Amino acid sequence: MIFLRKILFPFSILYGMITYFRNFLYDNQILKSYSFDLPVIAVGNLSVGGTGKTPQIEYLIRLLSDNHKIATLSRGYKRQSKGFVLADATSNAAKLGDEPFQYYQKFANIQVAVDADRRNGIQQLLSLTEKPEIILLDDAFQHRKVKAGFYILLTTFDDLYVDDLILPTGNLRESQRGAKRADIVIVTKCPNNLSTQEQEKIRKKLNLSNKQQLFFSCIAYDTFVYSEDKKLKVSEINEIEKLIVAGIAKPEPFFKYCQKEKDEVMVFPDHHHFTDLDILNMKSKAKNGIIITTEKDYMRLKGSVLGNQLFCLPIQSSFVEDAEKFNNTIKNYVGRSSRNR
C-alpha cells in the first residue's frame, strides 16, 4: 500500500493543482461563496477521516444549546436518502448517516439536518417555522460555496497536517495552505498529560498566524457502557471476556482502551454498512457474552438481533488546558454575530 501511494505521487501533484485553483477562484471571488445572517460555525479537517469531528461538534452543542436554538448540518455520509432531510421520529442511521443520527439520538433540544449542498441545507433550515439561531456545519472545511462565520480546523496529535501529503500519496484533501482559513486549530487525540514543552514544539511546527488560536484536546471515555435499556461500569467489565467491534477511521485508541488479553476484536472499514452476515458473525464470536462498540457503530447496529448483548462506549472531547478560553472565544463570536444581524 505504501509503495502504491508513492508511485501515485504525480497524481498528488495534479490533485493539489486542482484544489489550489479551486481555492484561488473562491479566494478571489470568481466563484461565489454565500454568507448567512446568523452564526455559522464550520468544523472540519484537511485530511480524510479520524480527526475527531463528531466529539467536537458534540462539545459545541453542549456549550451552546442551553442558551441558543442549535441546528447541525452534515452531508450524511453513506446515507441511503437524497437531498435535504430533517431528522424526526422516523429517522435512522440509513436515512441520516450514522453521525447525524447520533446527534439526533443524544440531543433532544436541537435540529439535525443533512444535505450534501450546504447552501441549500442552510436555506431549508432558515425556512422552517422554528428557525435555528446557530448552525454547526459538520465536515465542511472544504465546502467553499458556503462562507461560515467561524472555522475550526482539527488535526490529530500523531498525524499533523504539516507532516502529511496530498491524496493519493498522503491523506490531505487540499494543501497545507488551507489551514489559513481556520480561526481556531485544535490538535486532537493528545495524551492527557501533554507537556507544555511538547505543546510549544507543535505550535512552532504549525506556525499559525497571530490571528489564529491553537488548542489541544484529548478523548475522555465514559465510565459506563450503554445498551438499549441498561448500563454497566467500564471497571466492572474490564476483566470479562468480550467482543470489541469497530468500523471507524483510526480505531486503535478505542481498542487500546477497551481490549484485555482474552478479548476478541472485529475490525471493519470506516462507516461500514453491517450486513446480516456480519451481525451473525458477531453473535457467533460473542456467544452469550457482551459486545462493545463505538457510538457511531452502535447507531448502525442497534435494533439488530444482537439485542442487549450490544453496548456502546461514549466519548467526549476534553481540552488539555484553556477550555475556558476556547469556550469564551466561541461565545464571543456567537454574541458578536448575533448582535450584528
Side-chain angles (χ1 to χ4, degrees):
M1 178 62 76
I2 295 174
F3 175 74
L4 178 61
R5 284 197 163 205
K6 284 182 178 179
I7 65 174
L8 290 174
F9 182 70
F11 292 96
S12 293
I13 296 173
L14 177 61
Y15 184 67
M17 291 172 62
I18 293 169
T19 56
Y20 174 82
F21 183 62
R22 176 177 179 269
N23 283 327
F24 174 84
L25 294 177
Y26 276 110
D27 291 341
N28 290 276
Q29 300 180 5
I30 299 167
L31 291 178
K32 184 171 176 56
S33 294
Y34 294 87
S35 301
F36 293 88
D37 190 23
L38 81 168
V40 177
I41 302 173
V43 177
N45 47 23
L46 294 184
S47 64
V48 290
T51 56
K53 293 184 296 293
T54 303
Q56 187 58 50
I57 288 284
E58 292 185 357
Y59 184 98
L60 293 172
I61 293 170
R62 293 186 182 96
L63 176 66
L64 298 169
S65 60
D66 284 346
N67 298 308
H68 303 276
K69 295 176 183 176
I70 304 293
T72 65
L73 179 60
S74 312
R75 173 177 48 161
Y77 185 60
K78 286 197 174 181
R79 63 187 169 115
Q80 296 173 13
S81 59
K82 300 291 183 182
F84 176 82
V85 178
L86 183 67
D88 59 24
T90 67
S91 297
N92 54 32
K95 189 175 180 181
L96 296 177
D98 48 15
E99 291 148 340
F101 187 54
Q102 182 174 316
Y103 304 147
Y104 180 70
Q105 292 277 288
K106 291 179 74 171
F107 302 100
N109 59 337
I110 71 167
Q111 295 165 311
V112 175
V114 293
D115 196 333
D117 183 342
R118 304 306 206 286
R119 179 192 173 201
N120 180 69
I122 293 174
Q123 289 172 332
Q124 293 289 336
L125 284 167
L126 296 180
S127 71
L128 298 174
T129 304
E130 289 289 327
K131 295 180 179 65
E133 296 172 343
I134 301 171
I135 294 177
L136 305 179
L137 297 181
D138 183 10
D139 195 14
F141 201 79
Q142 284 77 34
H143 199 91
R144 301 295 306 274
K145 186 185 273 191
V146 168
K147 182 173 175 57
F150 198 92
Y151 286 91
I152 299 174
L153 177 66
L154 309 182
T155 185
T156 54
F157 171 77
D158 60 356
D159 192 17
L160 299 171
Y161 63 80
V162 291
D163 296 328
D164 207 346
L165 296 170
I166 294 175
L167 288 164
T169 300
N171 291 314
L172 296 183
R173 298 168 172 176
E174 60 174 306
S175 79
Q176 299 172 17
R177 295 187 193 91
K180 294 178 180 179
R181 299 197 301 275
D183 297 284
I184 281 177
V185 175
I186 303 177
V187 180
T188 62
K189 302 185 180 181
C190 296
N192 294 345
N193 58 348
L194 185 66
S195 68
T196 303
Q197 292 80 5
E198 186 65 23
Q199 291 179 40
E200 192 56 34
K201 181 179 175 183
I202 294 172
R203 187 183 301 277
K204 288 179 180 178
K205 200 170 188 180
L206 296 182
N207 192 28
L208 302 181
S209 74
N210 292 333
K211 295 180 180 179
Q212 295 175 299
Q213 295 187 57
L214 178 64
F215 295 89
F216 298 86
S217 72
C218 55
I219 294 297
Y221 290 93
D222 204 307
T223 54
F224 288 88
V225 292
Y226 301 83
S227 71
E228 286 278 12
D229 58 8
K230 64 179 176 180
K231 63 181 183 179
L232 300 172
K233 285 187 177 180
V234 172
S235 58
E236 291 176 355
I237 64 166
N238 271 343
E239 304 309 319
I240 298 174
E241 255 183 82
K242 53 193 174 292
L243 175 66
I244 305 170
V245 176
I248 58 172
K250 301 179 183 177
E252 294 81 12
F254 173 72
F255 287 130
K256 184 178 179 181
Y257 184 82
C258 295
Q259 188 178 4
K260 302 302 176 185
E261 186 177 352
K262 294 182 180 180
D263 294 339
E264 287 202 66
V265 301
M266 292 181 73
V267 186
F268 295 89
D270 192 19
H271 296 281
H272 179 69
H273 173 70
F274 295 106
T275 65
D276 291 341
L277 182 58
D278 291 333
I279 293 169
L280 288 175
N281 285 338
M282 289 179 209
K283 195 165 183 67
S284 175
K285 274 184 176 290
K287 298 177 183 176
N288 294 319
I290 64 173
I291 302 168
I292 307 296
T293 192
T294 69
E295 283 187 284
K296 288 184 188 179
D297 295 311
Y298 185 79
M299 295 301 150
R300 283 171 279 129
L301 288 167
K302 65 187 298 188
S304 69
V305 296
L306 299 177
N308 281 331
Q309 282 183 269
L310 183 67
F311 290 79
C312 71
L313 175 63
I315 61 172
Q316 289 189 23
S317 178
S318 176
F319 286 95
V320 175
E321 57 185 38
D322 293 332
E324 187 174 354
K325 181 181 177 183
F326 175 85
N327 295 350
N328 288 337
T329 299
I330 299 299
K331 289 177 180 178
N332 287 340
Y333 158 69
V334 168
R336 287 196 312 272
S337 183
S338 299
R339 285 193 299 271
N340 290 337
R341 292 178 67 179

